[in-house]
Structures are given as C-alpha cells and as structure tokens.
Amino acid sequence: MYLSSRSVPDAELPSADRGKIPPVVFALGTVSLLTDISAEMITAFLPIYLLYTLQLGYVQFGLLDGLYNGATALLRLVGGYVADKMQRPKLVAFVGYATSTMTKLIFPAAGASGFGIGGVLAADRAGKGLRTAPRDALITQATKPERLGRAFGVHRSMDTVGALIGPLVTFWILRDLGNESTPVFMVSFLFGLIGLIVLVTFVREPKKTAPVPGSAPVSLKACVRLLKDRQVRRMTLAAAALGLVTLSDAFVFVVLQKSTGVPFDYLPLMPLGTALVFLSAAVPMGWLADRFGRWQVFYAGHVLLLGVYVVLVTGGGGVVTLVAALLLHGCFYAATDGVLMAYAGPLVPPELRASGLAVVQTGQAVARLISSVLFGVMLTTLTMKSALWLVFGSFLLALAVAAMLLGRKVTS
C-alpha cells in the first residue's frame, strides 16, 4: 500500500506551513465557489425546464440527467492522465473550467431540441470531467497528508457557498423575468468567467518535479496498473457499487416535491437546504475523517443517504418530511464529497496522483449515470413508491457489498 511510503514527513514542510491549510486550497475554493454558482443555476433550472417547460417524460429526463452527471466519467481519466503526463494540472483544470463556462452561451441555441440540449450538457460535463482530478491533485499535492480531510472539507465548504447562491440567483431571475431561459444562462456564464479570472490570477502552476527513483514513467499502462493494487481496486469497486444506487439530486428533489406537495415554483430552492447543511457539516466531517478514518466516514455518509430513501418511501409529512430529507441529504454529501478523495489521495503514487483520483471518480461517475437512467425507466414502468422500494432494497445490498470489499481492514 502506498500510504506509508508516500506521506510527506514534517521535516520536509516549512515550519510556518505545518498544520495549516495551504493558500492554494482557498484560491481553488474561490474558483469552485464562483463556478458552482454558475453550475447550480443550471442544475436548479433543469427540472423545471425539462419536465415542465419542455414536457419531457421521465425516461428522457433520466437520460439527460444521467448525461449531466455521468458525462464526466471518461474525461476524468483523460484530465488526470494529461495533467500527470504534462505535470500541468492548473492548465488542464483551466481548459475544463473554460469549456463548462462557454457552454452557457451555447445553451439557449439548443432550444427545445432534446438532442441539442444533450449535446450542450455533455460538453458542460466534459469540462467538469477534465478539471476535477487535476484540481483535487493540486489540493492533495499542497496539503499535509494528515490534514487532507480538513483541506477537502474547506474546499467543499467554499464550493457549497456557490451551491447556495446559484439556486437563489435562478429563483430571483425566474420570479422577476418569468421562465425565459436566456437570462439564466447569461448570468451563469458571467459567474463562470469570473471564476476563470481568479484561477489564472491566484492559482500557481506547481513546479515540475523530477521522477521518483525507481518509479515508472507516466503512461496509460501505468494508469491501468493502478487497479492491480488491491486497495485501490477494492476502493473503486466499493465506491462504484454505492454510486449505482445513489439517486441524482434532481430526482431526489423532484420526488420530494411530488411527495410533499410543495409548489414546483420552489423546486429551485430545494438544493439550498442540502447546501446549507453541507456547508455547516463539511469541515467537521473532514475532521472526523482525519481523526477516525476516511473510509469509515464515507461509508457512514451512505447510511445517512439510506435515511433519505426511508423518508422518500414513507412520503407525507409535508414540511417535516422535506426538512428531514434535506438534513440527511446535506449530511450525506458532507461525509462523502471530498472525503473519498482525501482517502484515495495518499494511496496512489505522486506521479500518478491525478490519474489515480480520476480512476476512483470515474467508477463512481459511471455508476451514477447508470443509476439516473435506470431510475427514469423505473418511474415510467412502475409506480413511484414501487420504484423507491426497489432502490431501497438495492441500496441495502450495495452497503453489504461495500462492507465486504473493504470492511474492517480499511485504514486511512
């Protein structure tokens, strides 16, 4: 296992930097904050736009939602590999951020075409796929291993501030200007553009490093060989198994809206509840992960998600049901988003860090793409309650599989 041989000893860190969160984490957090305002404006708008404005069916919605969340999969591998090969993670991240930003200008041209919307969503998520692994590699490279959980917690907290602001901006635009889509996409573009400026100005490209003696050169074959490591392989499979039964945010919010009877005009505000809890819990969850085990906290987060499904299955309860589900949903994200990367980072060799993180992210992303498509099909062929019960049972099975793959032998 790579953990013991690749941790950076205290002696190699400047005394002023020991025990601190590096400035690059806050700079990247600011970039993510601004970009997430841009992205979450679109995320909040899509259910209304696709289901109510364009009157798409659940299968079409599931396909587009799966595309939106899963189109990042293969390009995460590309982004990680290119960043490692060139030793230019900032440059690769910039290309990804720029690609996503530019799609906001193209989106209005797609009109009501499902094919056009799918193409723009794929390009947007392709940008996310390119940037995610290099960005997380920059955080991992700059942070002391024992503080990775907190560093990712800080980054994800700043990212979540953007997730809070984005739906509010969309809600304000829709309230004052109606359901016209062009203003939403234009404002989204402007926030993404500011994020690009911050990235260029305040995030430095790390210096290229000489190869570690005895290490293999960066190549596609070396990236594939990462899965030969038992710990990395089992971690990836466990994350994918849990991702396969994780409903997308859009479906969670749509089901909540229908089961609680909340007017669909307020659907763009539902992500705020999740984001508020995430914002308050991300750093404490990162601390718990560093203190008690990152995989253990990641696994516990999925147990909390199981609680969300219990709320969805039982239905009713009005505002109480809504608040309970959003509280559990936010805690789930706080315990998982970033914690998995903090767990995976020290387990892969430094020269393949972005690629290694991308391998894990890709397994999870592909699984979630399949999940969205399957749930859309289930909602079309079954009653909503039957579909939710099927997901609930599958989730229990996935938890058992993840426990068998890693279980008590996990260290972090």
Side-chain angles (χ1 to χ4, degrees):
M1 190 170 68
Y2 295 117
L3 184 60
S4 61
S5 62
R6 293 188 173 97
S7 297
V8 179
D10 287 353
E12 296 181 14
L13 295 170
S15 58
D17 292 337
R18 295 175 193 171
K20 293 184 178 180
I21 303 299
V24 71
V25 174
F26 293 98
L28 289 168
T30 303
V31 175
S32 292
L33 185 156
L34 292 163
T35 304
D36 220 44
I37 294 175
S38 174
E40 291 302 322
M41 286 182 63
I42 306 304
T43 300
F45 184 57
L46 276 180
I48 291 176
Y49 187 58
L50 298 178
L51 288 175
Y52 296 99
T53 301
L54 302 183
Q55 296 291 308
L56 297 184
Y58 283 125
V59 173
Q60 292 171 297
F61 180 71
L63 286 169
L64 290 173
D65 185 59
L67 183 66
Y68 188 69
N69 290 286
T72 66
L74 294 179
L75 281 171
R76 288 176 190 245
L77 293 173
V78 174
Y81 171 73
V82 174
D84 286 335
K85 187 70 174 178
M86 298 175 60
Q87 293 193 42
R88 299 289 299 277
K90 176 186 171 180
L91 175 61
V92 177
F94 174 84
V95 172
Y97 280 113
T99 300
S100 293
T101 298
M102 293 307 298
T103 61
K104 308 308 188 297
L105 295 179
I106 303 172
F107 216 125
S113 167
F115 180 79
I117 293 170
V120 178
L121 288 176
D124 180 21
R125 296 298 86 184
K128 180 177 175 62
L130 283 175
R131 71 180 183 249
T132 300
R135 180 203 64 201
D136 287 349
L138 284 168
I139 295 172
T140 303
Q141 181 177 351
T143 306
K144 187 177 178 182
E146 300 88 86
R147 299 188 67 85
L148 278 172
R150 277 158 283 190
F152 276 102
V154 168
H155 176 268
R156 297 313 198 251
S157 292
M158 297 181 70
D159 181 272
T160 306
V161 173
L164 283 168
I165 298 173
L168 284 174
V169 175
T170 295
F171 180 74
W172 173 75
I173 292 173
L174 295 178
R175 185 195 63 182
D176 287 0
L177 302 178
N179 290 340
E180 172 61 38
S181 61
T182 301
V184 174
F185 296 124
M186 183 57 66
V187 174
S188 174
F189 164 75
L190 292 175
F191 275 110
L193 181 61
I194 297 170
L196 284 174
I197 294 171
V198 173
L199 176 66
V200 171
T201 306
F202 296 103
V203 178
R204 294 183 179 180
E205 187 81 79
K207 295 180 180 179
K208 293 186 177 183
T209 57
V212 177
S215 64
V218 177
S219 65
L220 291 175
K221 186 179 294 186
C223 296
V224 172
R225 278 202 302 267
L226 286 171
L227 289 175
K228 292 185 176 181
D229 179 86
R230 182 174 179 271
Q231 189 81 340
V232 174
R233 182 178 65 255
R234 290 193 167 215
M235 170 181 58
T236 303
L237 290 173
L242 293 170
L244 190 61
V245 291
T246 299
L247 297 182
S248 72
D249 292 356
F251 270 129
V252 169
F253 298 141
V254 166
V255 173
L256 270 178
Q257 184 268 319
K258 291 184 176 297
S259 64
T260 61
V262 175
F264 79 86
D265 290 350
Y266 289 87
L267 194 58
L269 293 178
M270 288 189 184
L272 294 178
T274 294
L276 278 170
V277 177
F278 187 5
L279 179 63
S280 61
V283 174
M285 286 292 187
W287 180 86
L288 287 173
D290 287 339
R291 179 67 178 83
F292 298 106
R294 292 165 192 158
W295 177 260
Q296 287 83 344
V297 171
F298 179 81
Y299 188 88
H302 283 82
V303 175
L304 295 175
L305 182 60
L306 186 64
V308 176
Y309 295 169
V310 170
V311 173
L312 294 178
V313 167
T314 55
V319 174
V320 174
T321 300
L322 179 65
V323 171
L326 295 179
L327 177 63
L328 291 170
H329 202 230
C331 287
F332 155 69
Y333 273 116
T336 57
D337 190 12
V339 171
L340 180 61
M341 292 299 96
Y343 172 63
L347 300 181
V348 297
E351 66 274 10
L352 293 174
R353 183 155 288 148
S355 301
L357 296 180
V359 166
V360 180
Q361 292 167 352
T362 297
Q364 192 177 53
V366 169
R368 290 186 175 181
L369 186 155
I370 296 171
S371 172
S372 285
V373 174
L374 290 179
F375 191 64
V377 172
M378 284 191 288
L379 285 180
T380 303
T381 57
L382 304 171
T383 65
M384 183 174 288
K385 181 154 288 190
S386 297
L388 289 170
W389 274 115
L390 185 56
V391 171
F392 182 83
S394 300
F395 203 101
L396 290 175
L397 179 61
L399 285 173
V401 169
M404 289 173 59
L405 284 169
L406 293 173
R408 296 180 180 179
K409 295 181 179 180
V410 176
T411 59
S412 56

